[in-house]
Amino acid sequence: MSARTAQFDALPTASSRRSRRDQAAGTPGPAPKPAAVKAALVVVGLGLGVSVGLALTAETRAEFSAAGGPAIFIGSFTGLVGTYLALIMVLLVSRIPFVERVLGQDGLLRWHRGLAPWPISLLIAHAIFITVGYAQAAKNGLWREAGVLVGQYPDVLIATVALGIMCAIGVVSLRAIRRRLPRERWWLIHLYMYLALALAYAHVIVLGPSFVRHPLTQLVWALAWIATAGVVLGYRIGLPIIRTMRHRLEVVEVRPEGPGVVSIILRGRDLEKLHVSGGQFFLWRFLTPKMWWQAHPYSLSALPRPPFLRLTVKDAGDHSGSLASLAPGTKVAIEGPYGAFTQHAQQQPRALLIAGGIGVTALRSLLEDLPRRSAPVVIIRASSEADFVLRREIGELVHHKRGELHEVIGDRNQARLDERALARMVPDIGQRDVYICGPEGFVADLVPLVKSLGVADESIHHEAFAL
Ligand SMILES: Cc1cc2nc3c(=O)[nH]c(=O)nc-3n(C[C@H](O)[C@H](O)[C@H](O)COP(=O)(O)OP(=O)(O)OC[C@H]3O[C@@H](n4cnc5c(N)ncnc54)[C@H](O)[C@@H]3O)c2cc1C
């Protein structure tokens, strides 16, 4: 063991007499504020109402009853609402901290994906109805009118390109296609959404019937776009740069933990000011010539121990596999902390923590952060003893918190984690909060299982290691 990182091993153990959250672990992550998210939802709802109102009031009776009037009206209405929803989709993935702390990244992505078909469908409807309406007004054929709109109005041409990009992103995001693409390629394609929105902007303001001759509407809408761009740039680029510069993390040691699993220990400045809760994760960007362009999510496998941080990674592919050969001194950029898989989510006094495979990383730091009164029952599922990494630390923490540890080790068909086994290990499961962490399939199997044993939805918290 390196003498430089020896201090990192001094984690809370059975013998330590520390306060609930060791002072050396730095500042706890702030508690989520669901009321603030509800208020934000009200604002978003009001914005949608205003958009609908604008579309309705901008239309005069004469315009509506003219040739093509109803189709143009439907076209501008669907365009306005579709664009508004597209901005909301962007905001959902802009990593606004107070929203992220309540909904978590996976919750936000669920909303983002659930909303996605609406803006795209509404914008396609917008293009069709506007073309039909103008064709009726000009007594033109549909294709001829489409040619006129695209050929004579540069803003429409640009917006058509934008719609094409959005549709392509929509197709690529279909689950069946997304799963076949390397994650980085899918992510790069997804970034084109920002370009599409920027391209669409001008034609909305310049040509939208709700905007032409309505300077106040133009101003309000422009402010909404600028605010969205500001939020995205601030939280996705600005804040990570500031945090990276402030904490100046670098690799000090890569330590083997088990088959294909390494812990990476980083040293940084001012880590006591990094507000982080156990169970949270960062997006890590290791600044080597081959890896600097990829940011991957890995949980902290222990609370910060200033000046050190630790993550523990299993080789699951290109990026995770290459971390074993990181050289000491490698600089690291961070985004985060993210995640709602924390002690703040706890509803009941006691807790049950279940991890499958490498899910022990988030469980380990969450366990460290849980109050002793949680009397945590911890269940670890691993395919072999060697695969149960961080075993000693977890055992010590469980002992320290006066909890119970159950190890379910072996082949899935023999060492089963089913309803009967869970009910036997945790007879009071219905009176506990249940935290589940691990590979996507493991989490998907466990959530219905604990529900069937009487755990309320709001007491089930999970972090699947795939987004
Ligand atoms: C919130 C969260 C916390 C995680 N914490 C840990 C941890 O503490 N330790 C650990 O070993 N692993 C953790 N993971 C999983 C880890 O992010 C992936 O194993 C890793 O990114 C795989 O990348 P790769 O290039 O090595 O493999 P690839 O072959 O590219 O991918 C393997 C699988 O990992 C998933 N994946 C790949 N890239 C990403 C990405 N950027 N974001 C989300 N999922 C991705 C995909 O589902 C893919 O099927 C976590 C994942 C998430 C979402």
Side-chain angles (χ1 to χ4, degrees), residues 30-65:
K33 296 192 173 62
V37 173
K38 281 185 192 144
L41 276 176
V42 170
V43 171
V44 165
L46 284 175
L48 185 59
V50 170
S51 299
V52 171
L54 285 176
L56 294 177
T57 52
E59 187 78 3
T60 63
R61 191 178 286 254
E63 281 166 345
F64 189 78
S65 40

Side-chain angles (χ1 to χ4, degrees), residues 183 281 295-299 312-314 316-320 358 361 463-467:
R183 190 170 164 98
F281 68 95
H296 282 247
Y298 300 110
S299 310
T312 301
V313 177
K314 184 176 174 65
D318 289 355
H319 188 268
S320 48
I358 195 62
T361 56
E463 190 78 275
F465 277 6
L467 295 175

Side-chain angles (χ1 to χ4, degrees), residues 42 50 78 82 101 161 169 177 201 203 256 280 353 356 391 438 456:
V42 170
V50 170
T78 48
R101 275 197 291 276
V161 172
I169 294 171
I177 298 179
Y201 175 76
H203 104 287
Q280 287 194 301
L353 277 58
R391 188 179 192 177

Side-chain angles (χ1 to χ4, degrees), residues 150-201:
V150 170
Q152 293 183 7
Y153 298 90
D155 289 327
V156 174
L157 174 63
I158 293 172
T160 308
V161 172
L163 183 59
I165 295 175
M166 286 184 195
C167 291
I169 294 171
V171 171
V172 168
S173 302
L174 293 173
R175 208 175 164 83
I177 298 179
R178 181 162 51 96
R179 286 194 172 276
R180 280 162 211 249
L181 282 177
R183 190 170 164 98
E184 286 71 36
R185 193 166 310 155
W186 172 82
W187 181 75
L188 281 174
I189 295 172
H190 223 74
L191 285 186
Y192 280 92
M193 184 55 105
Y194 296 112
L195 174 68
L197 280 173
L199 290 178
Y201 175 76

Side-chain angles (χ1 to χ4, degrees), residues 69-385:
I72 293 174
F73 172 72
I74 297 174
S76 68
F77 181 78
T78 48
L80 209 58
V81 177
T83 311
Y84 186 81
L85 293 181
L87 290 187
I88 298 300
M89 277 188 69
V90 169
L91 283 176
L92 281 173
V93 287
S94 60
R95 306 192 181 132
I96 304 169
F98 81 92
V99 180
E100 209 277 340
R101 275 197 291 276
V102 174
L103 297 174
Q105 289 264 302
D106 51 346
L108 285 167
L109 280 176
R110 261 199 310 279
W111 280 53
H112 177 84
R113 286 177 188 146
L115 191 61
W118 287 98
I120 293 185
S121 316
L122 285 168
L123 292 174
I124 292 173
H126 159 74
I128 295 172
F129 277 103
I130 287 287
T131 313
V132 168
Y134 278 91
Q136 287 171 349
K139 298 195 173 46
N140 264 339
L142 203 57
W143 291 113
R144 191 176 148 71
E145 186 58 31
V148 170
L149 288 175
V150 170
Q152 293 183 7
Y153 298 90
D155 289 327
V156 174
L157 174 63
I158 293 172
T160 308
V161 172
L163 183 59
I165 295 175
M166 286 184 195
C167 291
I169 294 171
V171 171
V172 168
S173 302
L174 293 173
R175 208 175 164 83
I177 298 179
R178 181 162 51 96
R179 286 194 172 276
R180 280 162 211 249
L181 282 177
R183 190 170 164 98
E184 286 71 36
R185 193 166 310 155
W186 172 82
W187 181 75
L188 281 174
I189 295 172
H190 223 74
L191 285 186
Y192 280 92
M193 184 55 105
Y194 296 112
L195 174 68
L197 280 173
L199 290 178
Y201 175 76
H203 104 287
V204 174
I205 299 280
V206 175
L207 299 174
S210 317
F211 295 91
V212 177
R213 294 189 304 278
H214 293 85
L216 185 63
T217 311
Q218 284 182 345
L219 178 71
V220 170
W221 200 248
L223 287 177
W225 285 61
I226 291 167
T228 305
V231 166
V232 171
L233 291 174
Y235 289 125
R236 293 202 68 163
I237 298 175
L239 194 58
I241 291 178
I242 291 171
R243 290 224 166 111
T244 298
M245 308 257 294
R246 178 178 197 187
H247 298 298
R248 293 181 190 272
L249 288 163
E250 64 174 45
V251 175
V252 285
E253 189 183 343
V254 178
R255 188 183 299 175
E257 297 282 3
V261 181
V262 291
S263 277
I264 295 144
I265 294 153
L266 311 168
R267 185 174 42 211
R269 292 193 327 191
D270 290 342
L271 293 188
E272 54 293 333
K273 294 189 183 124
L274 188 66
H275 303 272
V276 62
S277 295
Q280 287 194 301
F281 68 95
F282 287 82
L283 294 177
W284 305 89
R285 199 179 287 277
F286 294 92
L287 303 178
T288 69
K290 286 195 179 149
M291 282 195 269
W292 67 268
W293 59 278
Q294 295 185 48
H296 282 247
Y298 300 110
S299 310
L300 285 184
S301 61
L303 289 178
R305 195 124 307 243
F308 299 110
L309 274 187
R310 185 181 73 180
L311 57 150
T312 301
V313 177
K314 184 176 174 65
D315 177 354
D318 289 355
H319 188 268
S320 48
S322 44
L323 298 187
S325 49
L326 278 174
T330 304
K331 305 271 185 262
V332 185
I334 50 169
E335 257 184 75
Y338 295 131
F341 188 74
T342 68
Q343 50 117 341
H344 295 301
Q346 203 170 336
Q347 308 286 317
Q348 317 238 27
R350 281 169 296 167
L352 162 64
L353 277 58
I354 311 176
I358 195 62
V360 292
T361 56
L363 180 143
R364 157 71 182 78
S365 59
L366 171 64
L367 179 60
E368 190 179 356
D369 214 9
L370 279 183
R372 259 186 167 190
R373 63 173 184 280
S374 301
V377 174
V378 173
I379 301 176
I380 306 289
R381 173 84 187 76
S383 33
S384 69
E385 302 231 342

